[in-house]
Amino acid sequence: MADLAAPRFEEFGPVLIAGMGQRYNDETSVGIPALWQRFDPHIGHIPGQLSGKTYGVMWPLKGAEGFEYVCGVEVSDLSAVPAEFGRLTLEKQKYAVFSHTGPISTIRDTLGQIWNQWLPASAVRIAKRPRLEIYSAAFNDSNPIRGLAADLKKRTQRQLGHPCR
């Protein structure tokens, strides 16, 4: 497992995302690659698509265990998106952006380092907003260029060393 490089901090958004989504929990999250496989043929063919970048957007479900995950692309206008696709608007937020450079099969190692090592030692906490995976147009399993972004809020002194779980 490679050491986690320090994140860069940046503002991102607003952005309009069109894509496919599904609900998952820890056990069913192994199905996320299948969702990407279903979405992949649509990349480059969604009206108003702005680039070759793709996004994985995840947020916890309120009052339930699990999370919603959407794989999508940035679009210029949600009104032109076909009905079979979900639509998201991500407001401007500040993010910590991490890089994952190994094969996609090792992404859980990188996520574990972010949540279990970097976050508890940092002076920030994760806001209750969507988390992002950002894939360049060149992304594939043999050329894994990927960004992982988490919306941030500064921790208060009391929260330092005691991350919310």
Side-chain angles (χ1 to χ4, degrees):
M1 174 176 12
D3 288 334
L4 184 68
R8 64 182 191 278
F9 296 89
E10 62 184 56
E11 299 259 331
F12 179 78
V15 63
L16 306 174
I17 304 283
M20 296 178 153
Q22 192 165 325
R23 291 182 177 189
Y24 296 96
N25 60 36
D26 286 342
E27 292 81 38
T28 62
S29 66
V30 297
I32 292 174
L35 180 64
W36 277 103
Q37 288 174 349
R38 286 195 341 257
F39 181 65
D40 189 57
H42 302 285
I43 297 170
H45 304 287
I46 297 175
Q49 183 174 337
L50 292 176
S51 72
K53 282 186 186 175
T54 54
Y55 298 87
V57 185
M58 190 277 294
W59 61 96
L61 297 170
K62 291 182 182 179
E65 288 190 28
F67 58 94
E68 182 83 20
Y69 185 93
V70 170
C71 48
V73 296
E74 183 177 4
V75 294
S76 59
D77 180 10
L78 292 175
S79 66
V81 173
E84 67 264 25
F85 296 107
R87 297 157 181 80
L88 297 169
T89 301
L90 300 177
E91 302 300 331
K92 184 177 182 179
Q93 300 296 330
K94 185 174 184 177
Y95 287 88
V97 180
F98 299 87
S99 292
H100 171 76
T101 56
I104 195 69
S105 61
T106 64
I107 191 66
R108 287 183 183 250
D109 295 337
T110 301
L111 292 170
Q113 289 181 60
I114 293 168
W115 292 104
N116 300 322
Q117 296 170 19
W118 179 83
L119 185 60
S122 74
V124 298
R125 66 181 175 92
I126 302 299
K128 293 182 180 178
R129 294 196 181 93
R131 297 177 198 132
L132 302 174
E133 300 167 348
I134 305 164
Y135 301 87
S136 74
F139 174 80
N140 61 51
D141 201 34
S142 62
N143 183 24
I145 301 166
R146 177 180 179 128
L148 301 166
D151 188 11
L152 303 176
K153 290 185 177 180
K154 287 192 176 206
R155 284 185 204 245
T156 63
Q157 193 65 22
R158 187 172 56 92
Q159 293 169 314
L160 285 173
H162 296 85
C164 299
R165 296 189 193 265

